[in-house]
Amino acid sequence: MGTSVQVTPLSGAYGEGPLCYLLAVDGFRFLLDCGWTDLCDTSQLQPLAKVAPTIDAVLLSHPDMMHLGALPYAMKHLGLSAPVYATEPVFRLGLLTMYDHFLSRWQVSDFDLFTLDDVDAAFQNVVRLKYSQNYILNDKGEGIVIAPHVAGHLLGGTVWKITKDGEDVVYAVDFNHRKEMHLNGTVLGSFVRPAVLITDAYNALNNQGYRKKQDQDFIDSLVKVLASGGSVLLPVDTAGRVLELLLILDKYWGDRRLEYPIYFLTNVSTSTIDYVKSFLEWMGDQIAKSFESSRANAFLLKKVTLIINKEELEKLGGTPKVVLASMASLEVGFSHGIFVEMANEARNLVLFTEKGQFGTLARMLQVDPPPKAVKVTMSKRIPLVGDELKAYEEEQERIKKEEAIKASLVKEEELKASHGPNAKASEPMVIDASSSRKSAKAGSHFGGNNDIFIDGFVPPSTSVAPMFPFFENTAEWDDFGEVINPDDYTMKQEEMDSTLMLGPGDGLDGKIDDGSARLLLDSAPSKVISNEITVQVKCSLVYMDFEGRSDGRSVKSVIAHVAPLKLVLVHGSAEATEHLKMHCSKNLDSHVYAPQIEETIDVTSDLCAYKVQLSEKLMSNIICKKLGEHEIAWVDAEVGKEDEKLVLLPPSSMPPPHKPVLVGDLKLSDFKQFLENKGWQVEFSGGALRCGEHITVRKIGDSQKVTVPSLQECFPHLDLLRLFMDDDPDSRTPDCA
């Protein structure tokens, strides 16, 4: 039978929820994306929780919350432990996205679904692949090859091709066929006739206009508001579509010589741009060529200021400005607070560049007509003072004492168990952990601190009291001083793993900005205060599609060109999914499926293909002929079974003789040389090869069909073709006439 393939949506089917799908290929279980929304609703992950421990590999396609947001939580709470595969930009920018999300949550709530350590653990073992790189899986996935290809939409965005036994399963969601300022279009159109194509119906009902006009309208809208004295807020993602917006703004501000300030505000804005500057080879051809010719990096932004807190904005007061702030959903992050401040002014503008996630404040404001007033919760973290601080410190002291007592009791029990019942009844010296332990950093040079025990130590009769060990310094000296042992200054492996987990220069300071790091490392006790307010929405609200996805017409065209044997539609509203399903069913020679959440569909190939092995006895009788870099041979065999496996065995009776087979393409000049070596008189005439007076040999192409007697028909007694095959030629013969 063909390769067994089953698809099960865990989220993002017949709806616009986060993307997460289970793909089983001959029993090997892939998790295609692991998305979550900005709301972080754990009920959305219930289908994932049922299968997370059984996942064998995770494939990430884009570096945003909708494609990888649930990865840290799933690995911490749901038992997901499979290796993760992604491109370098998806890995780096996805990490920054999760850091920004955690910091945004932690600043306004006691967020405990995951921590920065959980984010580190989730991304620690990500296998990073290059575009078009074939990666062969091992063990349970033996025989499966995965390869990432360009998807467009976001930097590092991936179309995944999964190959097993010559059959391709292609996972292509949120792709973009258009070439943008910093990205090339997808290569999905180069795939032809895969066994299965899994794609989305998100934009099936939407059609887009010309990009230049869209960019022009975008800039005109901003300039109009700024000229009237207002400010503009663009709620954006952390490190995704915002990159395209930054290039557009930087270019047009430079071309028009505009002086209105532009700010890019996230917890990791400077780190984001620093990383992006090094990803030029992942971007569009125009950016790469520009850098090669003039060494000009497109992301050396001249008109955009990168900031990581609101202090700089507060200094400007009511000065007209453009602020790109995360999160795009307006649920948390800097955009939430800035919206509340700007909403009361009619001259201001909130411009949405992507459709808001379902159930978020951004989605509520995008309805038609928009609400005139909305209730929002304003929260902030403040330090504890007075009685609250005193109560907190007393509670922490009580917890420390309890932990110290528990630790001493545990050590005592361990010592008694280790010495056994016959040990002397000497009491161990118990050292209070809270007073004796130094910081890990202080003792790391000597391998950490060790507790000292004297249980079982019998001092000599001449001694006054037990003595602690004394080690004499026996360092060697040479003409230049004390001999240095490099091992004493080499960091331990576990310390390197924790500090350099993401590569050189990637410690805490390398992953998040200084301000965010100070916020996290501030150990002062704090609490979150919240109050609900009603915001009068007087500012203008505009939506412009800068999501960077192919529109409905383009999606249909790409699918028709790819022409998969089986098509699986996911991620899109019910209307869009049904529309695309009906269109493809009518116009494509494909089986079309649109499964519901947790509905498993079998898309196994209908081809009657079976795996067989060649028995050793059969292989020993095969006579191979070298054909270029390969060897070929006729095989006459019978199918049998050995150890429940299909094998090819030598035939039980003498097989009938077979006619010679001509393989490949032969140059007539080579054939002429071969015949001359056999004593034939041959010459070229009119593009054909004349052999004597009665035989003419020419190639038969698509544009020229010539029917002449064959060699064997003219001279049955001359088996030239067999003679040619037996001489082990370096080239191949054509069909001859």
Side-chain angles (χ1 to χ4, degrees), residues 433-448:
S434 62
S435 61
S436 66
R437 292 193 177 181
K438 300 178 182 179
S439 67
K441 196 175 289 185
S444 61
H445 176 71
F446 297 97

Side-chain angles (χ1 to χ4, degrees), residues 404-439:
I405 293 173
K406 289 181 180 179
S408 63
L409 292 175
V410 169
K411 286 182 180 180
E412 185 176 350
E413 292 296 330
E414 290 177 351
L415 285 171
K416 289 181 179 179
S418 63
H419 288 290
N422 297 326
K424 294 183 179 181
S426 56
E427 292 295 329
M429 178 186 291
V430 178
I431 301 176
D432 189 355
S434 62
S435 61
S436 66
R437 292 193 177 181
K438 300 178 182 179
S439 67

Side-chain angles (χ1 to χ4, degrees), residues 374-563:
V374 293
K375 289 185 177 182
V376 298
T377 301
M378 296 298 295
S379 303
K380 65 178 181 178
R381 185 173 291 276
I382 60 173
L384 295 179
V385 294
D387 294 339
E388 289 182 330
L389 178 59
K390 184 178 180 180
Y392 174 83
E393 291 174 344
E394 290 176 353
E395 178 66 17
Q396 293 300 311
E397 187 64 27
R398 183 186 65 80
I399 293 174
K400 287 181 180 179
K401 288 182 178 180
E402 289 181 356
E403 291 178 350
I405 293 173
K406 289 181 180 179
S408 63
L409 292 175
V410 169
K411 286 182 180 180
E412 185 176 350
E413 292 296 330
E414 290 177 351
L415 285 171
K416 289 181 179 179
S418 63
H419 288 290
N422 297 326
K424 294 183 179 181
S426 56
E427 292 295 329
M429 178 186 291
V430 178
I431 301 176
D432 189 355
S434 62
S435 61
S436 66
R437 292 193 177 181
K438 300 178 182 179
S439 67
K441 196 175 289 185
S444 61
H445 176 71
F446 297 97
N449 298 288
N450 297 315
D451 293 326
I452 302 172
F453 303 98
I454 61 171
D455 182 36
F457 172 72
V458 181
S461 58
T462 57
S463 65
V464 178
M467 296 180 63
F468 290 105
F470 169 74
F471 300 100
E472 184 179 358
N473 185 3
T474 58
E476 297 180 4
W477 292 72
D478 58 17
D479 295 339
F480 300 97
E482 183 179 349
V483 176
I484 300 300
N485 182 7
D487 293 340
D488 293 340
Y489 300 89
T490 302
M491 191 176 293
K492 286 190 170 184
Q493 184 62 42
E494 55 268 19
E495 295 174 359
M496 293 179 64
D497 290 343
S498 61
T499 305
L500 304 178
M501 180 189 64
L502 300 176
D506 277 350
L508 183 64
D509 295 336
K511 288 180 271 186
I512 58 178
D513 297 290
D514 293 338
S516 302
R518 287 195 299 271
L519 175 67
L520 286 173
L521 298 175
D522 183 9
S523 58
S526 61
K527 68 175 182 179
V528 175
I529 59 173
S530 303
N531 65 306
E532 189 177 83
I533 63 174
T534 300
V535 177
Q536 301 297 325
V537 183
K538 299 178 182 178
C539 65
S540 301
L541 302 172
V542 175
Y543 168 72
M544 292 186 177
D545 185 359
F546 278 86
E547 296 185 7
R549 294 183 177 92
S550 293
D551 61 3
R553 180 178 57 186
S554 302
V555 167
K556 295 170 186 175
S557 176
V558 170
I559 293 176
H561 182 76
V562 175

Side-chain angles (χ1 to χ4, degrees), residues 96 99-100 103 266-274 306-308 508-520:
L96 292 175
Y99 266 99
D100 188 30
L103 291 169
T266 74
N267 290 295
V268 291
S269 59
T270 55
S271 294
T272 299
I273 300 303
D274 285 344
L306 310 178
I307 56 177
I308 58 174
L508 183 64
D509 295 336
K511 288 180 271 186
I512 58 178
D513 297 290
D514 293 338
S516 302
R518 287 195 299 271
L519 175 67
L520 286 173

Side-chain angles (χ1 to χ4, degrees), residues 20-51:
C20 187
Y21 311 100
L22 176 64
L23 170 67
V25 179
D26 276 350
F28 190 88
R29 297 161 75 84
F30 289 97
L31 186 66
L32 306 177
D33 285 325
C34 189
W36 213 0
T37 65
D38 287 351
L39 297 174
C40 290
D41 183 4
T42 55
S43 64
Q44 290 180 330
L45 304 181
Q46 290 180 358
L48 175 60
K50 298 176 183 178
V51 301

Side-chain angles (χ1 to χ4, degrees), residues 1-159:
M1 296 179 63
T3 302
S4 173
V5 181
Q6 288 86 32
V7 179
T8 307
L10 304 177
S11 175
Y14 277 95
E16 298 175 3
L19 295 88
C20 187
Y21 311 100
L22 176 64
L23 170 67
V25 179
D26 276 350
F28 190 88
R29 297 161 75 84
F30 289 97
L31 186 66
L32 306 177
D33 285 325
C34 189
W36 213 0
T37 65
D38 287 351
L39 297 174
C40 290
D41 183 4
T42 55
S43 64
Q44 290 180 330
L45 304 181
Q46 290 180 358
L48 175 60
K50 298 176 183 178
V51 301
T54 67
I55 299 299
D56 298 306
V58 182
L59 305 183
L60 301 179
S61 61
H62 296 283
D64 60 355
M65 280 292 294
M66 292 292 285
H67 295 86
L68 54 72
L71 191 63
Y73 181 86
M75 288 195 167
K76 180 179 182 180
H77 297 285
L78 305 183
L80 180 64
S81 59
V84 182
Y85 300 90
T87 59
E88 182 74 21
V90 169
F91 163 70
R92 296 286 181 182
L93 302 182
L95 179 68
L96 292 175
T97 296
M98 297 311 302
Y99 266 99
D100 188 30
H101 188 88
F102 172 82
L103 291 169
S104 299
R105 284 281 181 185
W106 188 82
Q107 290 167 6
V108 297
S109 66
D110 295 321
F111 188 72
D112 60 356
L113 295 180
F114 57 84
T115 65
L116 294 182
D117 289 338
D118 299 326
V119 176
D120 285 343
F123 284 84
Q124 182 174 8
N125 296 319
V126 172
V127 180
R128 287 159 270 179
L129 305 178
K130 298 180 180 179
Y131 282 143
S132 303
Q133 176 184 348
N134 290 326
Y135 186 88
I136 302 173
L137 302 181
N138 299 318
D139 299 328
K140 187 178 177 181
E142 186 176 359
I144 299 177
V145 180
I146 60 175
H149 296 271
V150 179
H153 181 53
L154 300 182
L155 183 60
T158 304
V159 169

Side-chain angles (χ1 to χ4, degrees), residues 314-359:
E314 293 170 354
K315 294 178 184 177
L316 294 176
T319 304
K321 56 188 172 294
V322 178
V323 182
L324 297 89
S326 62
M327 303 285 178
S329 62
L330 291 180
E331 284 296 310
V332 291
F334 293 111
S335 63
H336 181 80
I338 296 174
F339 164 74
V340 172
E341 297 171 1
M342 293 177 56
N344 292 321
E345 290 287 341
R347 60 184 179 179
N348 294 334
L349 168 66
V350 177
L351 197 155
F352 299 98
T353 56
E354 62 180 70
K355 190 185 297 183
Q357 299 171 12
F358 185 78

